[in-house]
Amino acid sequence: MPEKYVIIVAGGSGSRMGGALPKQFLEVNGRPILMRTIEVFFSFDPSIAVILVLPQSNMALWKELCEEHRFLPAHQIVAGGASRFQSVRNGLKHLPDKGLVAIHDGVRPFVSAEVIAQGFEVASKQGNAIVSLPLKESIREVSGSGNKSAARDRSKYRLVQTPQTFDIGLIKKAYMQPESALFTDDASVVESAGESIVLIEGNEENIKITHPADLLIADAFLKNKKSPI
């Protein structure tokens, strides 16, 4: 297996949480979300190299939190950009040209070790591995101003999550493209570069904590010992 890396992108502002503190620094059961996210990757592989991408304005706060919580796992901090695309590209600059890298949202602390492992395994053979889940709700496609809509077959669609894992040479080449509004995640960047996307199954607990209700769900995961941490 090639050398493994993870880029954790933590550039949220916390606006949807309704508070001044960026969401990645909010606590779940007494510990900041971002720390829990980093720890799950070290639990998967203590030797994994972690690149943490943060806004420059949040770096001092992060260092204070690390001291307060005695957060010791070694990780490299990189300044983010004005968009997620730019932040990931900044992180990629600090990687060698060979190996595998998982790119993960800083506010997804409940990805399972099994899903992380599968991502690296599949990416080592096929170049990429994108975590996804089937849809549970009915979906409709809206058109125009939204007054018209049509039912769609949900079995043909998947919810896409992170981590998204790639051969480093492949993802670096893809990120040489100009930024586009169509790049909503790393898979869309790689697809735009001409690569086929490989989907793998995720775990239901791997929620993205963005709203106040998500904090309640996260707290319940921990209290019921459903968390991988």
Side-chain angles (χ1 to χ4, degrees), residues 42-57:
F42 279 113
S43 295
F44 156 71
D45 183 353
S47 68
I48 196 168
V50 175
I51 307 293
L52 174 60
V53 184
L54 284 174
Q56 188 76 46
S57 59

Side-chain angles (χ1 to χ4, degrees), residues 71-111:
F71 187 70
L72 302 177
H75 58 283
Q76 183 177 357
I77 303 174
V78 173
S83 64
R84 188 184 188 282
F85 178 91
Q86 294 174 27
S87 293
V88 172
R89 186 159 59 185
N90 286 355
L92 289 170
K93 292 177 182 177
H94 294 266
L95 297 183
D97 292 332
K98 293 184 178 180
L100 298 169
V101 59
I103 304 176
H104 191 60
D105 297 325
V107 288
R108 290 188 188 270
F110 300 117
V111 61

Side-chain angles (χ1 to χ4, degrees), residues 58-168:
N58 288 345
M59 289 186 177
L61 173 59
W62 173 246
K63 291 178 181 178
E64 290 175 9
L65 289 171
C66 287
E67 292 179 6
E68 177 184 342
H69 292 270
R70 298 181 181 179
F71 187 70
L72 302 177
H75 58 283
Q76 183 177 357
I77 303 174
V78 173
S83 64
R84 188 184 188 282
F85 178 91
Q86 294 174 27
S87 293
V88 172
R89 186 159 59 185
N90 286 355
L92 289 170
K93 292 177 182 177
H94 294 266
L95 297 183
D97 292 332
K98 293 184 178 180
L100 298 169
V101 59
I103 304 176
H104 191 60
D105 297 325
V107 288
R108 290 188 188 270
F110 300 117
V111 61
S112 71
E114 290 77 15
V115 168
I116 297 172
Q118 185 186 15
F120 280 112
E121 181 66 28
V122 172
S124 70
K125 298 174 181 177
Q126 301 192 52
N128 69 85
I130 311 303
V131 174
S132 67
L133 288 173
L135 278 69
K136 293 183 177 180
E137 309 287 352
S138 295
I139 60 170
R140 299 186 67 83
E141 182 180 2
V142 297
S143 59
S145 62
N147 293 327
K148 295 182 179 181
S149 65
R152 292 292 177 255
D153 181 359
R154 67 185 177 191
S155 67
K156 294 183 179 180
Y157 297 86
R158 302 280 291 189
L159 291 172
V160 176
Q161 300 180 326
T162 66
Q164 299 183 3
T165 309
F166 305 91
D167 172 86
I168 291 178

